[in-house]
Every structure is written in structure tokens, then in C-alpha cells.
Amino acid sequence: MKVIALVFLLVAPATALLPDLLEKLWPEQEDGVFDGVAKIPYKDLLNDNSYIDPFLLQSMKTYGFFYVVDVPEYSAALEHDYMKQFYDLDEDVKDELAIRRHNPANKNAYRGYCPGLDDVENTLQYKNLYNIGPHETRGASVESDNVMEKLRYDCQEPNVWPETGNCTFDKGFKETFQAGFEIRRNIGRAFIRSIARAMNYPNLPALFAEDEFSAMGLRKYPIRKKINSNMYSDFDGTLLRELEHIDSTVTVLSTFNNGGLEMLYKNQYRAVPVTGENSFIVNIGKLVDDLIDNKVPAVRHRVTEVDFDRYSITYFLGPQFDANIARSMTGKLTDAGQKYTIFGEWIKDYLGAIELFYY
């Protein structure tokens, strides 16, 4: 991998120092299958420094993901602490924020709290989730019989935030995760720009100019009290907490210091190094893979069962509502294009399985 990197570095700025760049992108680690995964500095990614593009692309092609590192003014420990505080709140307090499916008295359908069910007979994925989107307010309601116009309005559902009476907590929680949302959105969009440059797809970023239905999920996987046969992998018999799957859009993931995440590499699931205090994992899903002509894999992954309460944050960046998803960047019909033209149409059907989309 580092030999290949020497060739790619010919496109780096003339002032760049070779040892420094190699150390930034591949810091020394213990020997492991994912040691070659690129580690892209946050500022270089966001500043559109083109020298990162071949490293990022090679990592995505080889492993299906890369890390974003050295994020200024970001603290994973602070996010982790606020998540623990939130999930320790009384259930009646959290119920005020529950999505309508769980609390019919509430108006919020997608943004807010979704409690998990420790029910081995009826659910395979016992996890709690707090869903945050890009909107804090929403315009006037739509008086129209047009289904897509109503859906466009629904996609702009504003966030709901805790009001516990503890002003310090309420303010800190909201500000921390608003900032965290923005960091992850910046990463997702900068990744799209990098892939577009590397693949010579100049029209790709326009599909992501808006993000009406992007989402950040604060997940807690409580310790299970029971298990049954449905929780074991059909692939290799491993006991799972999150089923084996591929995502749909662009994913920016924080695992903190919690193990359990595994990705499929050369037909074997391998443990993925945690994101720790100051990094993120980025991968793509099936929809985005098709848009870029299946030149980068949508990596299959899972979470194995662990014996502790596991916390993670997932952020999903999808195309804008009106983005044409029927054709790839070279004009090929995508799998989604066999049924849909724009992303909004795809979302309309996906909302029926909203828990699969987020949870």
C-alpha cells in the first residue's frame, strides 16, 4: 500500500513532505487486516486538497471505508457522556420526545426518541435511538393533494430536544449534537466532492446540494437479557447485535471506544478498529454505489453481541429530494431507476420501513 502511495504522491503539493504525508495517512499501528485503511485529515478533506483523492479512493476500493482524523474542536468523549446522560433519563421524560409510533400524542414522526424492545420473539435488533435531522423549523403546512409535495413537507420535520428542567444539560446536549451533526454533514459532502474529483464525475456533488432527509442517530445497544436462534449469523454462526447489511447512502460513523463492529473483507468478517476520541469511519451504501457505476463497494457489515451497553452514532447523508437517481454518472440505469426517478420517490417507499433506514 505505501509503495502505491509513493506514485500517488506525485500529485501532492510540491511543498508537501513525504514522510509527514505518509504518517498522516497511514500512522504506524499494530499489524492488522485494516492497517492499510486511509486516515484522511479533516481539514485536508474539507479544504478539497486534491492530494487526498487517490488515497481515499484506493482505500474505498480495497476496504470499502476510510477514517477521517484530526477533527478540530470535536470531542467524542463529550458526545458519549451526553448520550449516557440522555439514556439515563426517566422513561416518562424521554417519552415526551418519542416518535409518534411510540407515543401517538406526539407530532414528530421521524425525529426524536425511538425506544427499543427487549423482546426476543418479535425483534432481532434491540437498540434505542434518538434521531436528529437538519431542520430546526418548518414552513407553513402544504395545502395540496399532491403526494410528493406533502412528502417534501414531511421531510422537513424539525428536531425535538430534551426539556428536562436542567438548563445546563438541555443546552449542552442540544449544542453538542447540533455541532456534531454539522461536522458529519461537512464530512459527507466533502467525501462526495473527493470521489467526484477522483472519478471525474463533476455532476455528482449537485445531487447532494441539499440534504432534506439526512439523519444522525444516537444509538444505545443495551445488554440483552435473552437470546434466541434468530440472533445468530447465517453467514458464520456468530451471535449478533446488529444484523449483517449494507447501507443505502453515505454513512459517517462513530463507534467511540466500543468494539463489536465488523466488516466483510475477502469473504470474512473482520473486527474494525474503533474511532476513538477524534475520528470517524466513512462508507457508502447501495444507492450511492449505483450512482458511481459500482466502482466502489458498499461494504457489508454487522455488530457482534457484546457484554456491555454499547453506544454509537450513525449519520446518513442522502441525495437531495429532487436528485435524479435513475441513472448513474455515466448514464446507466441504476437498480433504483427501475422503479424511481428522483430520491424523493425512493424515500416515499422507504418511510414505510423507517426503522430499517435509521435503526
Side-chain angles (χ1 to χ4, degrees), residues 147-171:
V147 173
M148 295 306 292
E149 286 303 313
K150 288 183 176 179
L151 179 61
R152 188 190 301 272
Y153 174 79
D154 289 342
C155 285
Q156 298 173 16
E157 180 177 294
N159 291 318
V160 294
W161 297 101
E163 295 182 357
T164 65
N166 181 338
C167 295
T168 300
F169 168 78
D170 295 348
K171 180 175 184 291

Side-chain angles (χ1 to χ4, degrees), residues 28-37 39 63 265 270-273:
E28 294 302 323
Q29 304 179 26
E30 297 179 3
D31 290 341
V33 67
F34 291 131
D35 284 1
V37 174
K39 293 170 175 59
Y63 302 102
Y265 178 70
R270 304 280 194 156
V272 176

Side-chain angles (χ1 to χ4, degrees), residues 59 63 83 90 99-100 131 136 143 148 153 161 173 183 188 197 218 233 257 265 342-343 347 357-358:
S59 188
Y63 302 102
M83 288 177 68
D90 291 340
I99 61 174
R100 191 166 58 215
N131 187 302
E136 296 299 338
E143 301 297 334
M148 295 306 292
Y153 174 79
W161 297 101
F173 182 91
I183 288 171
R197 293 191 301 267
L218 315 183
S233 167
N257 289 304
Y265 178 70
I342 64 172
F343 183 63
I347 280 289
F357 185 63
Y358 289 129

Side-chain angles (χ1 to χ4, degrees), residues 128-148:
N128 301 309
L129 182 132
Y130 184 88
N131 187 302
I132 300 167
H135 303 288
E136 296 299 338
T137 60
R138 180 162 57 184
S141 61
V142 175
E143 301 297 334
S144 172
D145 293 330
N146 185 296
V147 173
M148 295 306 292

